[in-house]
Amino acid sequence: MALNPPIADWRGRRVWVVGASSGIGAATASLLLERGARVAVSARSAQTLRERFGVHAAVVPADVTDAEGLRAAAHEVASAWDGLDLTLLFAGTYREMRPWNLELDAVRGIVELNLMGAFNLLAALQPWLKRGAGLALAASVAGYGGLPNSLAYGASKAALINLAQSLWLDYRARGVAVYLINPGFVETPLTAKNRFRMPALITAEEAARRTVAGLERGEFEIHYPKRFTRALKLVNLLPAGLYFRCVRKFTGL
């Protein structure tokens, strides 16, 4: 069901991709450039962005954990184009963690980047989130339910899912589109750290194609690959005992 206005044509659309140095963010920015959008890309490393995009995208370095710096970046991008049509947030980090190996500094870093980064971006965008604009947050299927080894990461992504739902409800009457992107396993520098089998693994380029297709259809939740994400959704409908049994059998943990 389309809960946002469909996007029929990307040509000339003003799109800001935050977290575009690698992975799904970089692949999505590249695809939107191919479709004719005007694209600005942000990440902490300006050099990495310039090496990837050259002169084809506007490079605006920004760190989502720096609220004031992010506000300045948003002003630079939106002022240059006299507004924004869509902002996509892909910035995030992951680290395996179990409770007996809890590291509070690492937890703070994950929450600061994955969750507070979204709030920092939301605050920075307030002058430009007007009727017709859109905001997309990339969370993860790890936010659907508790998983072993995902102590801080899963909690931060669950919070992002909740945040996106709240934003859609609050912004609906104001004509601002809100999208939630929940990927499964995608080949990125983050998943390269995993030491376990990743079912239904897809490339970042395929993830970008599915992300853009979901935006074009006006979906609220864009999740992929469906054969994996739908199974996870079903498992999360089970009673707690059955859910835990399925997760333990699936993960072996």
Side-chain angles (χ1 to χ4, degrees):
M1 178 185 297
L3 297 179
N4 293 303
I7 299 173
D9 192 351
W10 289 102
R11 286 175 295 181
R13 285 189 177 265
R14 302 161 297 179
V15 183
W16 185 22
V17 182
V18 182
S21 60
S22 64
I24 307 174
T28 300
S30 295
L31 181 56
L32 291 177
L33 284 168
E34 291 175 10
R35 300 282 176 90
R38 289 183 285 175
V39 178
V41 290
S42 290
R44 287 175 292 186
S45 172
Q47 181 178 348
T48 301
L49 293 171
R50 291 192 181 100
E51 289 173 354
R52 171 109 191 190
F53 296 100
V55 298
H56 302 292
V59 172
V60 183
D63 181 348
V64 297
T65 66
D66 176 5
E68 287 307 312
L70 194 58
R71 194 184 303 272
H75 180 79
E76 179 179 343
V77 174
S79 295
W81 289 336
D82 193 28
L84 280 166
D85 295 311
L86 177 64
T87 301
L88 299 106
L89 176 62
F90 288 101
T93 189
Y94 164 75
R95 178 173 173 175
E96 289 185 9
M97 190 178 300
R98 307 193 81 172
W100 48 86
N101 295 320
L102 181 66
E103 297 179 35
L104 285 179
D105 287 343
V107 172
R108 290 189 185 95
I110 291 169
V111 173
E112 187 70 23
L113 181 55
N114 291 0
L115 180 57
M116 284 307 301
F119 280 103
N120 289 340
L121 181 63
L122 180 62
L125 287 172
Q126 284 311 298
W128 293 281
L129 283 179
K130 300 176 181 179
R131 185 170 296 277
L135 173 62
L137 302 179
S140 167
V141 295
Y144 286 168
L147 297 170
N149 261 343
S150 190
L151 196 66
Y153 177 79
S156 69
K157 294 301 186 177
L160 270 181
I161 291 172
N162 186 290
L163 172 60
Q165 292 169 338
S166 296
L167 288 174
W168 190 92
L169 290 166
D170 282 337
Y171 272 122
R172 180 186 181 191
R174 297 193 175 198
V176 175
V178 177
Y179 308 87
L180 169 64
I181 304 166
N182 279 329
F185 290 114
V186 179
E187 291 178 352
T188 70
L190 289 181
T191 57
K193 301 176 183 178
N194 288 339
R195 294 171 292 178
F196 53 85
R197 183 181 66 88
M198 293 179 282
L201 182 69
I202 62 174
T203 65
E205 289 69 27
E206 179 60 24
R209 287 191 288 272
R210 298 187 188 201
T211 295
V212 171
L215 294 168
E216 290 172 345
R217 289 191 293 265
E219 297 174 355
F220 166 68
E221 186 191 359
I222 303 166
H223 59 96
Y224 49 79
K226 293 289 197 299
R227 63 187 184 280
F228 179 62
T229 56
R230 284 173 175 160
L232 281 180
K233 286 177 176 288
L234 286 173
V235 168
N236 275 277
L237 295 175
L238 297 174
L242 287 176
Y243 171 79
F244 293 146
R245 190 181 306 169
C246 287
V247 169
R248 291 182 66 188
K249 182 177 180 179
F250 172 74
T251 62
L253 298 171

